[in-house]
Amino acid sequence: MPLDHRRLCGPEESHPPGLWAVVAAEDEDEEGAGAAPRDPCSLRPLFARAGLLSQAQGSAYVELGSGTKVLCAAWGPREAAEPGPGRLICEFRRAPFAGRGARGRPGGLAEREAEREAAAALREALEPAVRLGRYPRARLAVSALLLQDGGSALAAAVSAAALALADAGVEMYDLAVGCALCRPPAPAAAWMLQPAEPEERRAAARLTLALLPALNQVSAVLGGGQGGPPEDWAQALRLGLDGCHRQYPVLRQSLLRAAQRRDAAAAAAATVA
């Protein structure tokens, strides 16, 4: 009988996909068990760059050492149909390939609800930083796209969105800096700065805060779980505030470099003309 070369033959032996899911889970557990304990007060490496997208008035990219990657775009004041003070519209979207392993159907109800909650938290963290009174009857928009979720995604989105708004020339009181913490389920465990995705998944309590460092003003606090007595939550807040202050110079330097690149490009264009 002639062979059908247009069709690829399947393997002679096959295994159910659940088998590989179990193996992957065991590999993650082995990685977590074999990894050296991390200093709970240490920050992961942070990379920030502003002024990336030419299609947006302002943009920023933030990447954490845990693998989290967030891209944000911002647009300056646009006329709003309804009267009243300025409004800040925030959008948070998660790329279909952002997570590791299997997850819900892309665009499903649970995912849309999680994105709406993240957008509301983003707006809560950014509104105190923006001078909305200077933009009556106007809308300011910022969109955050989570490219890869390695943990501390919302905190990274807060920092990237604040950078994008500043890059767009929006008047702000200060940059909002986000920092995430989690507490492992072990008894008497210490809070950890910038947890990775496996650490967040196993955490007994989580906390995300946004700070305006120059004003020393907290713009948002989001948390939940079994974090222990109030003294432990206060300790977590102090640790998170310290983490925000330590990230602030990196974000400011990124914004300064973007302004310098823009001025150099304008000067070169004027010279050619």
Side-chain angles (χ1 to χ4, degrees):
M1 174 181 281
L3 298 177
D4 187 357
H5 297 285
R6 295 171 299 176
R7 188 174 299 172
L8 296 176
C9 299
E12 296 180 0
E13 297 182 0
S14 61
H15 301 280
L19 175 64
W20 305 113
V22 173
V23 173
E26 292 177 352
D27 291 343
E28 289 185 7
D29 293 340
E30 291 177 0
E31 290 177 3
R38 187 169 67 92
D39 182 6
C41 299
S42 65
L43 286 173
R44 297 185 184 274
L46 169 66
F47 173 79
R49 183 181 175 89
L52 293 170
L53 304 177
S54 58
Q55 298 86 353
Q57 292 180 343
S59 59
Y61 171 80
V62 168
E63 180 176 344
L64 300 180
S66 60
T68 297
K69 302 174 182 178
V70 181
L71 181 64
C72 285
W75 291 268
R78 298 177 179 178
E79 184 177 359
E82 63 279 0
R87 294 180 54 200
L88 178 63
I89 300 175
C90 295
E91 179 188 27
F92 183 94
R93 292 182 296 116
R94 181 186 177 101
F97 48 83
R100 177 181 179 183
R103 63 184 187 91
R105 180 172 62 88
L109 181 61
E111 180 176 340
R112 291 199 301 269
E113 183 64 26
E115 290 179 348
R116 281 195 293 267
E117 292 178 358
L122 196 62
R123 179 181 175 183
E124 180 182 349
L126 293 174
E127 275 190 338
V130 180
R131 303 184 65 181
L132 293 175
R134 300 298 297 270
Y135 303 101
R137 296 196 60 177
R139 294 183 296 115
L140 306 173
V142 60
S143 175
L145 175 62
L146 178 61
L147 299 174
Q148 183 172 334
D149 186 3
S152 308
L154 180 58
V158 169
S159 300
L163 270 180
L165 286 170
D167 185 60
V170 175
E171 293 191 33
M172 304 177 67
Y173 295 104
D174 193 13
L175 286 176
V177 183
C179 188
L181 304 94
C182 79
R183 183 172 186 175
W191 286 86
M192 301 179 63
L193 275 175
Q194 290 185 331
E197 192 273 335
E199 295 170 341
E200 281 187 335
R201 191 174 353 108
R202 295 189 294 263
R206 301 180 187 179
L207 181 67
T208 300
L209 61 92
L211 176 71
L212 310 181
L215 305 177
N216 201 27
Q217 175 182 339
V218 176
S219 60
V221 177
L222 305 169
Q226 301 176 356
E231 295 77 11
D232 291 347
W233 287 99
Q235 178 186 1
L237 282 174
R238 288 192 293 269
L239 185 61
L241 294 176
D242 179 68
C244 291
H245 281 291
R246 288 154 62 187
Q247 295 179 79
Y248 188 54
V250 179
L251 301 177
R252 285 192 57 187
Q253 188 64 27
S254 171
L255 190 61
L256 178 61
R257 287 196 296 266
Q260 292 173 345
R261 289 195 303 269
R262 189 179 295 109
D263 292 344
T271 302
V272 173

